[in-house]
Amino acid sequence: MLRRTVKNREVELSIVGVERGEAGDIVAIAGLAKATVADTFCALEAAQPLRAQPIDPPTVAMSFLVNDSPLAGTEGDKVTSRVIRDRLLREAEGNVALRVSEASGKDAMEVAGRGELQLAILIEQMRREGFELSVSRPKVVLERDGSGELLEPVEEVTIDVDEEHSGVVVQKMSERKADMVEMRPSGGGRLRLVFHAPTRGLIGYQGELLTDTRGTAVMNRLFHAYAPFKGEIAGRRNGVLIANEQGEAVAYALWNLEDRGPMMIEPGWKVYQGMIVGEHTRDNDLEVNVLKGKKLTNIRTTSKDEAVRLTPPIRMTLEKALAYIQDDELVEVTPKSIRLRKLILDPNDRKKAVRMKEAETVW
């Protein structure tokens, strides 16, 4: 049992052995091979277990894959599927909100949890421990009822926001198929908005909410129920710029590509074929060469030799990257870097996969 004692106004914590634990005690039990929060520990003659509090089911799932990019193993020392699998299973033993299972793909694990933030915390912990891995876009865990109707998880979202920013919050939530169930003042010129929103629409909204409200909004989410599928929700509308060669990015090449869209890398960064280096201004993907340097001649002028001035690139955090990618893209996570890439690196194989998907859609 954990005991707290006060000596000279200082609190000391110590662990002592006890024969009996009562309500309110913090106790630790050793010697059990497997136990979880829903189990009842009692005497042998007590055959009736206590009623357990239900645990909210996982609503979001992601695939954890082995990093197979050309830069694999250059920044981390834990890269094999075995060590990744053991780490995830060990995490699931102590975290009852996670569900880990074998994925259908090669060298992949399916991890389901309570929202993309919980999974992002797990990924951040693993990268700090030296792991290298690739993760897919978060997907909601769908179910079907007895009649075969498709159901999706719906969450109760409570947002405390200043009155001047309430309009944009209601608009963005309605675009994400959310239904507002309550709006009331909470004092100090603020409003409390309560929505029932599908989990699909909340992926990546935390950062957008803080941007729209200048960092003043507070959002809380709680699983509500499974409800009928609400239809498609608009996602990213822009394509991406994809590197077509492996090497180090050159400032002159990035400067020439600025009219194609904002970049996500800086000069000197290592890139490889199939890696996402920027966002396209149009809705299609475009392969670009970020390694092309300036041609040298024997003519020198002041205007041509000016230093290249680049627009600051888009900074991709882990949470922003997970919300940004599409189904055919991955986030490559290492102890030092966060990169975006296509699931299929070879451009010819990507085109074949697109044609096969289109043919399946037609049939």
Side-chain angles (χ1 to χ4, degrees):
M1 184 178 69
L2 189 65
R3 173 177 293 174
R4 184 177 63 176
T5 57
V6 180
K7 295 181 179 179
N8 299 327
R9 297 184 178 180
E10 293 184 359
V11 179
E12 296 183 359
L13 297 178
S14 58
I15 298 177
V16 296
V18 294
E19 296 293 335
R20 178 184 178 87
E22 299 179 355
D25 293 342
I26 300 177
V27 298
I29 303 176
L32 297 176
K34 183 179 180 181
T36 182
V37 293
D39 294 340
T40 298
F41 301 101
C42 57
L44 294 177
E45 58 270 14
Q48 188 67 26
L50 296 176
R51 184 177 180 181
Q53 189 72 15
I55 302 173
D56 290 342
T59 57
V60 176
M62 294 170 56
S63 294
F64 284 55
L65 304 95
V66 173
N67 183 19
D68 59 353
S69 77
L71 300 180
T74 59
E75 298 178 357
D77 55 359
K78 300 176 182 178
V79 297
T80 63
S81 60
R82 181 183 59 82
V83 296
I84 294 175
R85 178 180 181 275
D86 293 344
R87 175 64 177 85
L88 293 175
L89 293 178
R90 189 166 64 252
E91 180 71 22
E93 290 180 359
N95 193 338
V96 295
L98 286 182
R99 187 175 65 200
V100 179
S101 59
E102 298 281 351
S104 58
K106 180 181 178 181
D107 295 334
M109 298 290 292
E110 191 82 9
V111 182
R114 283 285 298 114
E116 74 277 10
L117 179 58
Q118 182 188 23
L119 299 179
I121 293 174
L122 172 60
I123 297 171
E124 183 65 30
Q125 290 176 343
M126 294 180 65
R127 70 180 293 226
R128 293 184 181 185
E129 296 171 6
F131 283 87
E132 278 194 18
L133 66 155
S134 297
V135 293
S136 68
R137 174 179 172 82
K139 296 181 180 180
V140 297
V141 180
L142 302 176
E143 293 186 356
R144 292 188 181 273
D145 58 8
S147 60
E149 184 180 6
L150 192 63
L151 304 177
E152 67 173 335
V154 174
E155 301 188 23
E156 182 178 284
V157 184
T158 304
I159 301 178
D160 291 305
V161 63
D162 294 339
E163 292 183 3
E164 58 180 314
H165 302 305
S166 60
V168 66
V169 173
V170 174
Q171 176 188 348
K172 291 293 182 67
M173 291 296 288
S174 63
E175 293 175 356
R176 296 167 181 266
K177 307 291 186 180
D179 299 325
M180 186 169 63
V181 297
E182 184 180 357
M183 173 191 287
R184 59 182 174 84
S186 57
R190 292 175 66 84
L191 291 176
R192 171 160 292 184
L193 309 176
V194 181
F195 300 89
H196 286 169
T199 304
R200 290 182 300 129
L202 298 176
I203 295 176
Y205 181 61
Q206 178 72 34
E208 188 175 341
L209 173 66
L210 295 178
T211 301
D212 293 338
T213 61
R214 299 180 182 179
T216 59
V218 179
M219 181 172 70
N220 294 291
R221 299 164 52 176
L222 182 66
F223 176 76
H224 178 64
Y226 270 87
F229 191 76
K230 293 181 176 292
E232 295 297 327
I233 298 177
R236 193 184 78 200
R237 295 182 174 87
N238 294 83
V240 292
L241 303 177
I242 308 171
N244 60 2
E245 292 185 31
Q246 183 174 350
E248 293 186 359
V250 178
Y252 184 75
L254 298 179
W255 178 68
N256 284 328
L257 292 171
E258 283 192 341
D259 60 339
R260 299 291 187 178
M263 307 303 295
M264 299 179 185
I265 62 173
E266 295 182 358
W269 284 23
K270 295 180 179 180
V271 300
Y272 52 84
Q273 188 181 53
M275 177 178 167
I276 298 174
V277 297
E279 182 179 81
H280 197 194
T281 54
R282 300 185 180 182
D283 58 356
N284 63 306
D285 296 341
L286 181 66
E287 294 185 18
V288 297
N289 187 355
V290 295
L291 311 181
K292 186 177 180 180
K294 183 179 179 181
K295 298 295 184 180
L296 299 179
T297 67
N298 59 353
I299 301 175
R300 296 291 182 268
T301 61
T302 304
S303 60
K304 288 187 177 181
D305 291 340
E306 287 182 350
V308 175
R309 294 180 176 87
L310 296 175
T311 305
I314 301 175
R315 301 292 182 182
M316 277 292 179
T317 61
L318 179 58
E319 293 80 6
K320 188 175 181 180
L322 293 176
Y324 182 84
I325 60 174
Q326 299 286 17
D327 293 338
D328 63 337
E329 299 166 356
L330 298 174
V331 179
E332 179 184 350
V333 182
T334 72
K336 298 180 180 179
S337 307
I338 295 177
R339 307 183 185 97
L340 275 63
R341 50 160 287 187
K342 285 293 183 177
L343 175 63
I344 303 175
L345 298 180
D346 186 84
N348 297 321
D349 293 341
R350 279 202 305 272
K351 294 176 182 178
K352 292 179 182 178
V354 171
R355 288 195 295 266
M356 292 178 60
K357 187 175 181 180
E358 291 176 350
E360 293 176 356
T361 304
V362 172
W363 286 103

